[in-house]
Amino acid sequence: RLLNTGPSLAMLEQQSVPLDQALRNSKPTVIEFYADWCEVCRELVPTEISVEEQYRSDINFVMLNIENSKWAPEVNEFNVGGIPHFVFM
């Protein structure tokens, strides 16, 4: 089995702005709700990296893994019914 050493959701999450910081600063924010098993989420990674590289200084990019129960209040608040789910603030 070949290992995927390219960009990953985990890499995007590590590079993302923490939610509390994004909510405190004055920049527009994009929140993505995702899961590691989501094939569409994984397919979007190269495009998301390109967009983030271009706009990172002007826009907060936040990644929230729905499998982490820490984010359950946000999943409910933003009515996440499927993934990927994007919120633009």
Side-chain angles (χ1 to χ4, degrees):
R1 192 172 175 180
L2 295 174
L3 295 176
N4 181 1
T5 58
S8 67
L9 288 165
M11 185 186 90
L12 279 176
E13 183 176 18
Q14 289 173 346
Q15 294 177 353
S16 76
V17 176
L19 180 61
D20 59 338
Q21 180 183 334
L23 296 176
R24 284 193 315 262
N25 69 29
S26 60
K27 292 182 185 180
T29 298
V30 176
I31 302 173
E32 178 182 355
F33 292 89
Y34 76 97
D36 294 327
W37 49 261
C38 171
E39 188 172 327
V40 173
C41 301
R42 290 192 310 261
E43 289 174 0
L44 289 172
V45 169
T47 301
E48 290 181 42
I49 288 172
S50 175
V51 170
E52 287 186 26
E53 286 174 352
Q54 186 173 359
Y55 296 103
R56 184 175 287 132
S57 62
D58 300 316
I59 298 173
N60 296 311
F61 292 95
V62 178
M63 299 284 293
L64 303 181
N65 187 334
I66 64 164
E67 293 182 304
N68 184 338
S69 60
K70 172 183 179 178
W71 304 121
E74 287 77 9
V75 167
N76 289 328
E77 178 182 351
F78 294 108
N79 299 313
V80 177
I83 54 172
H85 182 92
F86 294 90
V87 176
F88 302 91
M89 300 174 66

